[in-house]
Amino acid sequence: MSLNRFLTVLTVLMAASLLPFSAQARLAELVSDQIAAEVQDLVMNDLIAMNQEQLEDGQPAPDNDGPILGMPTVDQMLSDRFLNVWMNPTYWSTWVQEALINGNVQIPSPTDIAKPEAWTPNVHVANGEYISPLPEALQDTSQLTYEWDGATKTVEDFMNTTETDMVNFVVNGALVDELYNNGYSAEVRHQPWSVTKTFIAATVGIAFDEGHIDSLQDPIEKYIPELVGTAWETVTVENILQMESGVHWDEDTPVLAQNTQVEQWVQVMLDYYTQGQLGQTRNEFLKALPKVYEQGTEFRYNSGNTQVLAWMLELIYDKPYNEIISEKIWIPMGAQGDAMMIADREGGVLASQGLYARLHDFSRFGEVMRNGGVNSDGRRVLPDYWVEAMTQMTEVSNGRYAYQTWSSTAGEGAYKASGFQGQKITVVPKKCMTAVRMSHSFGLDYRDGDIQDPDAYGFSTNFSADEWASMVKQVAEQIAECDDSGKAVEDGGAGGSEAANGNGGGGAVNAMALLLTLLLMVFGRRLRARPLS
């Protein structure tokens, strides 16, 4: 079988969307096994020969180089993709059903198709010597089942049918399981896209707690004087945090010439490669954005808001944001590895996206949030009152959004850091659970409704986000239940709690320490908390 023939098969399937519903369902049933067999033939006879040199290469991806930042090696990616995904009949049966019956064409790529890091400067987020514990309580979750769209699926099916690269579950502070696909492993960084936004809000909270921000009702030009005379003037810090700035940004439109995020990438690229002769830096682009509504009256998702917050922090601390997050979050949190971010020619970090990091460190941050700002050693990373504010959803957003953090349907009180193509750090407090998904899911919804309804046809994107939330909720019922170890307790010292360090003690001493800790938590919170005004 040739590559051209394989692509022809996929084209025919997409064209079959014009068939009646019953015919589509029958076609989906008939061709799934056939496609898997054709892929196996393609792998054995065409692609292995075509990529033989790459498959034998085996060199690790460089840590900071553009085109393959956040990707595994080519041989790992292709071999894993072929064996676990493209040769799996379940993948193709789901793909066909989604394309023909549900009107969602999932791009069957082995990796992320959008690569801004390939042409922008990549800047370093350093980790320190201290690594916070992530203990293990391992069990195999791959065969746990959940119900979705009228079918019973396993967690492994979710990995294979939704273009998911990494998943792990942390319950009561312990790693229960981690699953990898498409050549990824615990050592490989991943692009988290807008999951990064939640980290930015966390850093704003630290600056506020340190007294660098007087009030969240302050106009942003108080901290960024260059914004006087722009659409940002008079917009409050809080309205920027809540995506209610009133400044234009549209990254949902499929018309690339009108997509603000794509436009910014192009401008930053032109500025970088022409050394400022063409294009715009991050700050120049942000200053040129127009006003489209009155601040505080509407919720409109806007990556420019997050970048303005990062700009503010850079001026407050007089250093680039990648160094700020390293000093304020990454090192105190006890990250196991470093991270990377993307920037413009002048070092201004495009902080609304692209904190390239490893799966376990995303879990560590989720656990800091779940534990009210402290890590697994009891070290305080974020103010407790700020974590509460970050997860209190606003009325303007109809209960969907807070400070750069989304609500989640994965459980009562659940919330998430969320990004393009299905990236998620999902926290389910009632189950003492943090679940992380890194993926490259990109589905094109061309029909939302009955196949016979002409008005149902259009265009939108689908990243399997609803299925993720449903799966997490159902898996949590099977593996997650809060116990006494489920909540990390703040330790007053820099060295972590004795329990976390494995040092024992007498019963009376431990009881007295617990009493003192509880008193410190009650009265210390009152002393630390600042009104969010």
Side-chain angles (χ1 to χ4, degrees):
M1 177 185 179
S2 68
L3 182 58
N4 287 338
R5 181 180 166 193
F6 174 65
L7 295 175
T8 300
V9 171
L10 298 185
T11 303
V12 169
L13 284 173
M14 294 176 66
S17 63
L18 300 176
L19 294 173
F21 180 84
S22 58
Q24 289 188 37
R26 179 58 178 159
L27 179 62
E29 179 182 350
L30 290 173
V31 301
S32 299
D33 288 336
Q34 179 184 352
I35 293 178
E38 297 283 18
V39 170
Q40 183 174 3
D41 181 66
L42 174 66
V43 172
M44 298 305 176
N45 296 301
D46 286 73
L47 291 184
I48 284 184
M50 184 171 64
N51 290 287
Q52 190 67 33
E53 182 177 352
Q54 291 177 316
L55 289 172
E56 289 181 348
D57 186 7
Q59 294 298 314
D63 286 342
N64 58 355
D65 208 351
I68 49 178
L69 172 64
M71 287 176 56
T73 57
V74 173
D75 60 336
Q76 290 172 331
M77 180 178 66
L78 291 179
S79 61
D80 199 12
R81 177 72 175 183
F82 290 142
L83 293 174
N84 295 334
V85 180
W86 280 347
M87 292 169 64
N88 186 338
T90 302
Y91 172 82
W92 291 110
S93 64
T94 302
W95 193 95
V96 172
Q97 176 173 325
E98 285 294 310
L100 298 187
I101 299 175
N102 295 337
N104 172 39
V105 179
Q106 187 76 231
I107 297 178
S109 167
T111 188
D112 193 342
I113 61 173
K115 296 290 183 186
E117 70 278 8
W119 43 260
T120 57
N122 304 146
V123 292
H124 190 233
V125 177
N127 60 312
E129 294 183 2
Y130 165 64
I131 300 174
S132 61
L134 186 62
E136 297 180 343
L138 298 178
Q139 67 180 85
D140 181 12
T141 63
S142 65
Q143 300 308 307
L144 295 180
T145 60
Y146 66 100
E147 301 298 318
W148 178 254
D149 199 21
T152 300
K153 298 179 68 173
T154 66
V155 175
E156 184 177 52
D157 290 337
F158 177 86
M159 295 287 297
N160 291 336
T161 61
T162 62
E163 303 297 352
T164 297
D165 302 315
M166 306 175 174
V167 162
N168 72 7
F169 304 106
V170 177
V171 178
N172 291 309
L175 179 66
V176 172
D177 200 9
E178 52 189 330
L179 301 94
Y180 299 94
N181 221 347
N182 299 306
Y184 280 88
S185 65
E187 293 76 30
V188 180
R189 300 187 192 96
H190 201 288
Q191 158 74 290
W193 291 104
S194 289
V195 162
T196 309
K197 289 180 169 69
T198 307
F199 286 84
I200 308 305
T203 323
V204 171
I206 294 172
F208 178 80
D209 194 61
E210 291 176 348
H212 298 297
I213 300 171
D214 296 326
S215 170
L216 297 185
Q217 304 311 314
D218 284 343
I220 190 64
E221 68 268 20
K222 178 177 179 179
Y223 304 98
I224 311 178
E226 284 187 56
L227 293 182
V228 171
T230 72
W232 298 96
E233 187 174 1
T234 75
V235 179
T236 67
V237 175
E238 184 167 60
N239 280 336
I240 295 173
L241 279 165
Q242 295 175 164
M243 297 291 184
E244 300 168 15
S245 67
V247 178
H248 170 74
W249 191 281
D250 183 1
E251 59 190 74
D252 294 325
T253 175
V255 182
L256 296 185
Q258 300 175 5
N259 187 298
T260 315
Q261 184 58 80
V262 174
E263 183 183 357
Q264 185 188 45
W265 288 341
V266 170
Q267 293 298 319
V268 168
M269 176 186 67
L270 287 172
D271 176 79
Y272 177 62
Y273 285 103
T274 66
Q275 290 299 295
Q277 298 302 306
L278 298 172
Q280 294 172 302
T281 63
R282 177 200 67 183
N283 296 349
E284 290 169 341
F285 187 87
L286 293 172
K287 287 162 61 177
L289 293 170
K291 179 179 177 179
V292 289
Y293 65 94
E294 289 299 321
Q295 64 167 308
T297 62
E298 295 182 36
F299 167 79
R300 293 193 190 180
Y301 191 73
N302 182 338
S303 290
N305 288 330
T306 317
Q307 294 180 29
V308 164
L309 293 173
W311 185 3
M312 176 185 70
L313 292 166
E314 289 169 349
L315 293 177
I316 284 173
Y317 290 108
D318 193 25
K319 60 184 64 177
Y321 181 76
N322 56 295
E323 294 181 14
I324 298 169
I325 189 176
S326 172
E327 295 176 9
K328 299 298 181 180
I329 293 181
W330 214 245
I331 292 175
M333 179 180 76
Q336 188 172 16
D338 62 354
M340 302 293 292
M341 302 189 81
I342 59 178
D344 66 8
R345 175 176 57 87
E346 297 179 341
V349 176
L350 303 185
S352 56
Q353 58 191 272
L355 177 65
Y356 297 81
R358 296 164 180 85
L359 184 64
H360 287 186
D361 288 333
F362 289 127
S363 297
R364 283 181 170 87
F365 180 75
E367 283 292 284
V368 167
M369 293 289 291
R370 185 181 70 82
N371 286 303
V374 300
N375 73 358
S376 58
D377 260 343
R379 299 189 183 192
R380 180 153 297 282
V381 181
L382 303 175
D384 51 1
Y385 66 87
W386 188 261
V387 174
E388 184 176 352
M390 284 179 65
T391 55
Q392 291 294 314
M393 305 300 150
T394 67
E395 292 184 9
V396 174
S397 69
N398 294 320
R400 294 180 296 154
Y401 204 74
Y403 291 174
Q404 308 284 296
T405 306
W406 292 90
S407 63
S408 171
T409 58
E412 181 184 352
Y415 53 87
K416 65 191 176 188
S418 181
F420 179 58
Q421 297 189 116
Q423 324 308 323
K424 297 285 183 289
I425 301 176
T426 301
V427 178
V428 189
K430 296 293 186 180
K431 292 293 185 179
C432 293
M433 178 173 169
T434 295
V436 180
R437 176 199 185 199
M438 293 287 124
S439 61
H440 61 276
S441 176
F442 194 94
L444 303 176
D445 277 342
Y446 64 88
R447 187 182 72 245
D448 183 17
D450 189 270
I451 191 172
Q452 304 296 336
D453 181 8
D455 294 332
Y457 290 81
F459 179 87
S460 63
T461 54
N462 186 324
F463 309 139
S464 302
D466 291 339
E467 183 175 353
W468 162 256
S470 180
M471 186 268 283
V472 168
K473 184 174 185 178
Q474 294 177 63
V475 166
E477 292 297 328
Q478 301 172 65
I479 68 170
E481 198 65 48
C482 291
D483 61 26
D484 292 339
S485 66
K487 189 78 171 179
V489 178
E490 180 179 5
D491 174 64
S497 66
E498 286 192 339
N501 288 329
N503 299 318
V509 174
N510 285 339
M512 182 62 69
L514 178 60
L515 177 60
L516 289 174
T517 299
L518 291 173
L519 290 172
L520 285 172
M521 288 177 66
V522 172
F523 293 106
R525 176 170 179 171
R526 293 178 183 174
L527 290 173
R528 282 193 309 272
R530 296 179 58 200
L532 298 179
S533 61

